[in-house]
């Protein structure tokens, strides 16, 4: 495996379900990110982890809960989501977090909330 | 006020022509600028970065930066149908915080027709 891999690629869930998105990076990077991409809207940063410590929570609702057990893995736990949360969730990594623009993205997890 | 602004297009150019993609940003203190390409159904990938005023060339791609005008552009020479994608302009920082945050524009859809 190379680069940044995300699973599942597609997820359909009801509003009362609990699910998780997984991301793994094989680049030896120290920072990992969750971004949200909705139709007709710019990419939105959700969370940043640097060396397994959360350094940014971009005003994300608590129904999204990130977890970074080590520098290679990142999870996004989902519970009681709303239909407007349907979007493409992109994981990314970079060598460092501070003022970086060089992100490597995974292929994304397409989430549909019914 | 949008922090990074792009014309969403679509921009349509004939094969072999020059495609010009434009981006303006609001933070005068921004020091680095990035262009990402996103094919339909795929994740964004970094194609150019620029840090100094003037032009930076990489193959058929040229990034142009004018910090006084807060303007950055991407020129694609000899456009090919394979260049058809959404081009995202990105600037580190924004929204009152800068650590690990990359602010994206909405993206310009480029179509190169044979």
């Amino acid at each position: 495996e190379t680069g940044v891999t995300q699973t599942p690629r597609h997820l359909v869930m009801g509003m009362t379900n609990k699910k998780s998105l997984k991301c793994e990076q094989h680049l030896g990077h120290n920072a990992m990110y969750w971004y949200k991409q909705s139709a007709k809207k710019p990419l939105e940063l959700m969370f940043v982890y640097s060396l397994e410590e959360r350094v940014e929570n971009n005003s994300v609702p608590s129904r999204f809960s990130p977890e970074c057990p080590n520098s290679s893995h990142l999870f996004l736990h989902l519970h009681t989501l709303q239909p407007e949360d349907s979007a493409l969730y992109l994981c990314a990594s970079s060598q460092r977090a501070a003022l970086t623009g060089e992100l490597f993205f995974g292929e994304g997890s397409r989430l549909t909330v019914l | 006020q949008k922090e990074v602004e792009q014309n969403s297009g679509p921009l349509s150019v004939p094969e072999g022509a020059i495609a010009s993609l434009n981006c303006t940003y609001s933070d005068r203190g921004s020091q680095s600028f990035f262009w990402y390409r996103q094919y339909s159904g795929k994740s964004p990938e970094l194609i150019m970065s620029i840090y100094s005023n003037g032009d930076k060339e990489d193959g058929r791609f040229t990034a142009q930066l004018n910090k006084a005008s807060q303007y950055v552009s991407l020129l694609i020479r000899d456009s090919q149908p394979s260049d058809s994608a959404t081009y995202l302009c990105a600037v580190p920082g924004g929204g009152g915080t800068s650590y690990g945050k990359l602010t994206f524009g909405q993206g310009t859809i480029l179509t190169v027709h044979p």
Side-chain angles (χ1 to χ4, degrees), chain A residues 86-99:
Chain A
S86 298
L88 181 67
Y89 289 85
L90 290 161
C91 175
S93 71
S94 66
Q95 285 191 325
R96 59 186 181 92
L99 291 176

Side-chain angles (χ1 to χ4, degrees), chain B residues 31-88:
Chain B
Q31 297 295 316
S32 54
F33 307 86
F34 302 85
W35 283 99
Y36 283 77
R37 177 177 62 200
Q38 186 172 21
Y39 291 115
S40 180
K42 298 293 187 181
S43 59
E45 58 175 330
L46 179 67
I47 56 172
M48 287 286 283
S49 59
I50 187 166
Y51 302 89
S52 304
N53 273 331
D55 295 357
K56 177 183 177 183
E57 189 174 315
D58 183 1
R60 294 186 297 110
F61 296 91
T62 299
Q64 299 177 318
L65 175 60
N66 184 326
K67 290 185 179 179
S69 300
Q70 295 175 245
Y71 177 93
V72 58
S73 64
L74 180 70
L75 301 179
I76 307 175
R77 292 184 303 280
D78 188 23
S79 296
Q80 301 297 310
S82 58
D83 295 325
S84 298
T86 298
Y87 290 82
L88 306 171

Side-chain angles (χ1 to χ4, degrees), chain A residues 9 33 35 37 40-45 48 50 55-56 58 88 90 97-108 110, chain B residues 4 32 34 36 38 41-46 49 51 88 90 92-95 97-107:
Chain A
R9 295 291 310 278
Y33 311 75
Y35 276 84
Q37 189 170 39
K40 308 294 185 185
K41 293 179 70 176
L43 273 164
E44 301 173 68
L45 177 67
V48 181
S50 177
V55 296
E56 180 73 26
N58 204 33
L88 181 67
L90 290 161
L99 291 176
T100 185
E102 299 184 6
L103 300 181
F104 292 79
F105 286 92
E107 290 298 320
R110 173 72 62 186
Chain B
V4 179
S32 54
F34 302 85
Y36 283 77
Q38 186 172 21
K42 298 293 187 181
S43 59
E45 58 175 330
L46 179 67
S49 59
Y51 302 89
L88 306 171
T97 181
S98 59
Y99 194 78
K101 181 172 183 175
L102 192 59
T103 299
F104 286 85
Q106 193 162 339

Side-chain angles (χ1 to χ4, degrees), chain A residues 8-72:
Chain A
R9 295 291 310 278
H10 299 273
L11 178 63
V12 179
M13 60 187 289
M15 289 190 285
T16 59
N17 291 159
K18 290 184 180 181
K19 297 287 184 182
S20 296
L21 306 181
K22 178 183 175 182
C23 176
E24 184 174 0
Q25 60 100 356
H26 308 271
L27 300 169
H29 288 167
N30 291 318
M32 296 187 76
Y33 311 75
W34 281 115
Y35 276 84
K36 176 183 178 183
Q37 189 170 39
S38 305
K40 308 294 185 185
K41 293 179 70 176
L43 273 164
E44 301 173 68
L45 177 67
M46 300 176 72
F47 300 103
V48 181
Y49 276 83
S50 177
L51 295 172
E52 303 151 40
E53 178 183 348
R54 190 192 309 180
V55 296
E56 180 73 26
N57 177 347
N58 204 33
S59 302
V60 179
S62 59
R63 57 186 183 269
F64 295 92
S65 175
E67 178 189 0
C68 187
N70 56 61
S71 59
S72 298

